[in-house]
Amino acid sequence: MEELLDPGLGQVRVFMKHDDNKPRKLRYNLGHHRLLTFGGAYSNHIRAVAEAGARHGIETIGVIRGEEHLPLNPSLARAAACGMTLTYLDRAAYRRKHTEEVQARLRARWGDDVVILPEGGSNAAAVRGCAELPGEISEDYDVICCPVGTGGTLAGISAGLPEGRRALGFAVLKGAGFLEGEVARLQREAFGRTWPNWSINLDYHFGGYARSTPALDAFAERHGVERIYVAKMLFGLLDLVRQGAFAPGTRIVAVITGRPSTGQERRP
Ligand SMILES: *Cc1c(COP(=O)(O)O)cnc(C)c1O
């Protein structure tokens, strides 16, 4: 793991663990022959499902929010090149995508045997996949941090933590108070219990999902990190360290869950 060197850190040490979370979340979701899932036009999850489908010989269907725009953006073009069938749902129907009614319609169209993954890919299998991450870190640490979108990654990391460590998530959505319940629900679904070793900081959403500010943009640029998730976590973490939120000597692992994409600046 690479150490983050920043004069603001003082006696606190931060290590970066590069680990793409989308493939990890899919690992135990791949034993099917047809997978359908949901996402926005720039969704990392859509692309990860398409790539996994191509690798494992699984038919994939991506249900994209909104209307089709041609030519496809690089993210959707990559999904299509992997063989994913793209279909679109208007925003009103998309909001109801996890309801019985919309899912029944999708099953009628794509077959009863289609396995539907939720948006962002957070289900019990995804949580079990992410629970393997802490076991792959051999260095000593006190706190492990990750960005939080739908909460599956944090739910898994927390479940896999050794005794005495804690997990701290940084929400990238605005008004994400519901995530507390969601992480607990995902842990119960995956393992039949919850863990008391995690918390979510809600203060570094920078206006909401995929929103940014000049300060966050400059930070992402300076550190060369993905900006929708990773930059918000690292910015928040460094800010908390400067405020004295961690005792001197604390060792923190920051999970770098994705890489900056080319064309990142064009993301909505
Ligand atoms: C999807 C994603 C996350 C969020 O993961 P959740 O399990 O939805 O909380 C974090 N970082 C990156 C880079 C992502 O693509």
Side-chain angles (χ1 to χ4, degrees):
M1 279 189 299
E2 188 190 339
E3 183 162 5
L4 179 70
L5 299 172
D6 186 289
L9 289 172
Q11 305 284 313
V12 173
R13 300 185 68 183
V14 175
F15 301 88
M16 294 185 287
K17 160 94 175 148
H18 288 266
D19 193 278
D20 281 12
N21 73 333
K22 292 297 187 294
R24 201 179 267 286
K25 290 172 73 170
L26 284 174
R27 185 173 301 166
Y28 297 116
N29 274 303
L30 296 178
H32 311 288
H33 86 251
R34 185 180 296 149
L35 280 178
L36 177 148
T37 195
F38 307 91
Y42 291 86
S43 165
N44 289 332
H45 168 64
I46 287 285
R47 210 185 43 227
V49 170
E51 289 171 354
R55 253 195 324 276
H56 297 270
I58 301 164
E59 210 180 300
T60 58
I61 298 136
V63 179
I64 310 303
R65 180 181 57 231
E67 285 158 24
E68 182 179 41
H69 293 283
L70 295 173
L72 295 174
N73 70 45
S75 181
L76 291 182
R78 168 82 184 136
C82 288
M84 178 177 259
T85 302
L86 298 175
T87 176
Y88 297 82
L89 265 190
D90 65 75
R91 279 157 201 274
Y94 192 88
R95 245 176 271 125
R96 291 182 285 109
K97 62 190 168 301
H98 294 148
T99 62
E100 275 304 315
E101 175 220 339
V102 172
Q103 301 230 339
R105 254 205 283 148
L106 290 169
R107 281 182 205 287
R109 174 156 176 210
W110 299 104
D112 273 339
D113 59 339
V114 71
V115 171
I116 300 183
L117 294 183
E119 183 182 40
S122 286
N123 57 13
V127 171
R128 288 194 286 269
C130 292
E132 295 178 347
L133 188 153
E136 296 169 19
I137 301 174
S138 48
E139 292 90 345
D140 196 24
Y141 61 93
D142 307 292
V143 180
I144 185 165
C145 293
C146 69
V148 180
T150 59
T153 304
L154 177 64
I157 287 175
S158 146
L161 275 188
E163 275 301 309
R165 319 280 163 82
R166 64 194 166 95
L168 171 60
F170 289 86
V172 304
L173 312 175
K174 188 173 169 176
F178 69 93
L179 282 170
E180 302 267 339
E182 186 57 13
V183 170
R185 182 189 71 78
L186 284 164
Q187 291 189 329
R188 258 183 245 110
E189 205 178 287
F191 295 105
R193 58 163 291 199
T194 61
W195 279 260
N197 60 3
W198 58 271
S199 58
I200 304 178
N201 180 296
L202 303 176
D203 299 335
Y204 296 95
H205 57 71
F206 292 88
Y209 183 73
R211 298 289 172 84
S212 190
T213 64
L216 182 68
D217 286 347
F219 180 90
E221 190 78 25
R222 189 161 72 250
H223 291 274
V225 292
E226 186 273 345
R227 77 180 59 188
I228 294 182
Y229 293 96
V230 176
K232 290 181 181 180
M233 168 194 64
L234 272 188
F235 190 108
L237 177 59
L238 291 184
D239 205 40
L240 290 181
V241 172
R242 278 190 212 100
Q243 291 169 24
F246 303 95
T250 303
R251 295 169 67 94
I252 301 171
V253 171
V255 183
I256 309 297
T257 44
R259 283 156 295 191
S261 61
T262 51
Q264 170 170 271
E265 67 286 348
R266 297 207 315 276
R267 288 181 176 213

